């Protein structure tokens, strides 16, 4: 995940080793995201939060952003 022009977070290698929630478990949706992101530059902390009430078993959807899809446009689903 690109946080800004200088910082990129990549923790995908940790996902298989944890049963707990991890941001890599969120799928992309530009049209209907239910998760937002806040970046605290001073502490280099990224916070994820729901944009509305999310029911148990509901898929978590996050808008990856336009820069993520550069060169991957053919992979993006609606």
């Amino acid at each position: 995940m690109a946080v800004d022009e200088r910082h990129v977070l990549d923790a995908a290698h940790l996902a298989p080793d944890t049963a707990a929630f991890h941001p890599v478990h969120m799928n992309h949706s530009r049209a209907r995201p239910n998760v937002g992101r806040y970046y605290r530059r001073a502490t280099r902390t990224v916070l994820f939060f729901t944009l509305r009430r999310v029911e148990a078993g509901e898929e978590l959807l996050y808008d990856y952003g336009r820069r993520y899809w550069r060169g991957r446009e053919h992979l993006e689903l609606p």
Side-chain angles (χ1 to χ4, degrees), residues 7-78:
H7 299 95
V8 174
L9 301 175
D10 182 3
H13 66 284
L14 299 173
D17 299 328
T18 180
F21 168 77
H22 193 279
V24 76
H25 297 136
M26 287 188 284
N27 288 319
H28 167 71
S29 177
R30 183 171 300 162
R32 53 187 180 92
N34 57 15
V35 174
R37 177 191 80 173
Y38 177 75
Y39 174 55
R40 287 187 180 154
R41 187 177 303 272
T43 59
R44 294 185 181 167
T45 304
V46 177
L47 305 171
F48 291 95
F49 55 92
T50 58
L51 300 171
R52 61 169 176 75
R53 182 180 172 88
V54 176
E55 300 299 326
E58 185 177 352
E59 184 176 23
L60 296 176
L61 300 170
Y62 174 74
D63 183 354
Y64 292 179
R66 294 186 189 276
R67 286 191 312 171
Y68 175 85
W69 294 105
R70 285 191 196 137
R72 300 180 177 121
E73 293 87 353
H74 63 287
L75 300 173
E76 185 176 10
L77 299 173

